[in-house]
Amino acid sequence: MPADSIRRVSLSSVTLPLRNAISDAKVFTGRQKPMTEVVFLFAEISTEQDQHGLGFSYSKRAGGPAQYAHAAEVAEGLIGEDPNDIGRLITKLQWAGASVGRSGLATQALAAFDVALYDLKAKRAGLPLAKLLGAHRDSVRTYNTSGGFLNASLDEVKERATRSLDEGIGAVKIKVGLPDNAEDLRRVRGVREHIGDDVPLMVDANQQWDRTTALRMGRRLEEFDLTWIEEPLDAYDVEGHARLTRTLDTPIATGEMLASVAEHERLIDGAACDIIQPDAPRVGGITQFLRLMTLADQRGLDLAPHFAMEIHLHLAACYPRETWVEHFDWLDPLFNERLETKDGRMLVPDRPGLGVTMSEQARAWTTESISFGQA
Ligand SMILES: [Mg+2]
């Protein structure tokens, strides 16, 4: 008999509205509409001994209802189980939904459970998640993304960069990939001159260049001493990324769009980037992310996880090499706590687990919820 067992599982679908409609290069090439909201799948797990875990997954533009529906189909399988056996429980849920595969939506639905089980385990141990997993550091270098979108003018981007640096965020990433390459270069030059040569600067093309453009732009961007060029090409173009990685001095970063460890394995095996950017909710949670970290470290890659800093701060703290975490203030209204930034780094909170609790605002933005097990 397990020492403790899962008594109740609750799921919520929460729609987070964004203050402004957000555009990256995918909007300027006509492939997507400006983003106005992000849909979150929250999982809350409680045990007989009154231990609690909170996890989440998310989707942008489409897929939120499907993640929620799949999670609701399989959640019952956790009731009565020992919450410590995370690997076994995730495998059980994978088999429950085996016909929809081990990547994409199905995997992302399971991520919310996986993160909640890790949060619960760390809270039971009285440890921040990073400490439970085994941390290499208690703070991680951080950069701002939310101020550098293409819907913002160059002046607005500069102003947001200054504000980020004043807030202790140590670096700035801006979006590129506009139809007019000269305009991209003008914005990069403007921001580089504004922040000076000592502040790390990254650019993100959100997959919108073809191979020729990426190589030409990559060469023209070398003079700005960028920390990385992100998603220069289609996320699944392993060969194209590998050529850029070999050819350019500026490091190449990619991986945020990939939806399983197996998809990342192709990038890693293909030597297709210098910096890998996995996203724990997108690849199936912490269990899968830990597998990925092992593979990436083995091959000498640097790590800069995508989005969801509330989860990734803990994971990035556990990678053997110095890492980056992406600062996005978008999720702040969902949680009662704030992550601290100081001297260019984000500090791992000393609260147990992830160190976040759902806010009243997140409850108010809940559009659907369902519970399994006993009240
Ligand atoms: Mg990106």
Side-chain angles (χ1 to χ4, degrees), residues 16-31:
L16 167 76
L18 300 178
R19 249 171 288 152
N20 311 105
I22 300 297
S23 296
D24 61 26
K26 299 191 290 296
V27 173
F28 285 80
T29 51
R31 290 186 163 124

Side-chain angles (χ1 to χ4, degrees), residues 43-45 53-56 111-121:
E44 293 168 275
I45 297 177
L54 174 68
F56 67 88
F113 299 120
D114 186 85
V115 174
L117 289 167
Y118 266 102
D119 181 54
L120 190 156
K121 182 178 271 206

Side-chain angles (χ1 to χ4, degrees), residues 73-291:
E73 281 183 306
V74 300
E76 187 81 50
L78 293 174
I79 303 300
E81 291 283 7
D82 183 341
N84 290 304
D85 299 346
I86 301 175
R88 181 175 63 79
L89 298 187
I90 293 304
T91 302
K92 180 182 180 181
L93 298 184
Q94 278 177 341
W95 279 110
S99 81
V100 286
R102 290 185 197 169
S103 70
L105 273 169
T107 292
Q108 291 158 10
L110 302 192
F113 299 120
D114 186 85
V115 174
L117 289 167
Y118 266 102
D119 181 54
L120 190 156
K121 182 178 271 206
K123 281 181 186 153
R124 189 197 296 277
L127 295 171
L129 178 64
K131 292 281 183 190
L132 178 88
L133 297 174
H136 280 267
R137 59 195 71 83
D138 54 17
S139 68
V140 177
R141 290 180 298 184
T142 185
Y143 67 93
N144 176 268
T145 296
S146 38
F149 278 85
L150 295 174
N151 50 285
S153 69
L154 177 56
D155 281 342
E156 285 169 325
V157 172
K158 287 185 196 172
E159 187 194 311
R160 293 287 303 275
T162 301
R163 206 185 319 156
S164 294
L165 298 173
D166 287 347
E167 288 169 1
I169 299 164
V172 171
K173 186 170 85 185
I174 69 168
K175 299 293 186 179
V176 291
L178 287 166
D180 179 359
N181 296 335
E183 177 61 11
D184 274 339
L185 293 166
R186 189 181 77 86
R187 287 169 67 96
V188 174
R189 185 179 305 281
V191 174
R192 173 49 93 203
E193 284 171 2
H194 179 71
I195 63 177
D197 290 342
D198 294 339
V199 176
L201 174 65
M202 304 83 163
V203 301
D204 184 355
N206 287 96
Q207 311 179 67
Q208 297 309 300
W209 287 329
D210 55 32
R211 289 183 177 184
T212 303
T213 308
L215 185 55
R216 286 185 176 153
M217 284 297 281
R219 287 195 168 123
R220 296 172 78 178
L221 288 164
E222 300 269 35
E223 66 167 299
F224 300 108
D225 196 27
L226 300 173
T227 302
W228 70 68
I229 298 172
E230 178 169 326
E231 288 201 303
L233 298 168
D234 182 279
Y236 290 84
D237 183 2
V238 171
E239 199 183 305
H241 279 101
R243 186 141 54 110
L244 288 178
T245 300
R246 281 195 306 270
T247 309
L248 298 175
D249 287 348
T250 307
I252 299 298
T254 190
E256 66 176 74
M257 301 305 293
L258 302 184
S260 66
V261 174
E263 290 180 8
H264 274 275
E265 208 175 358
R266 292 188 56 229
L267 269 188
I268 296 168
D269 286 347
C273 59
D274 302 287
I275 300 154
I276 197 152
Q277 301 188 291
D279 178 319
R282 284 188 178 167
V283 300
I286 293 167
T287 301
Q288 306 301 340
F289 197 99
L290 294 175
R291 291 181 179 178

Side-chain angles (χ1 to χ4, degrees), residues 37 39 58-67 105 108:
E37 60 187 36
V39 176
Y58 75 96
S59 64
K60 291 175 175 173
R61 294 188 170 87
Q67 286 180 357
L105 273 169
Q108 291 158 10

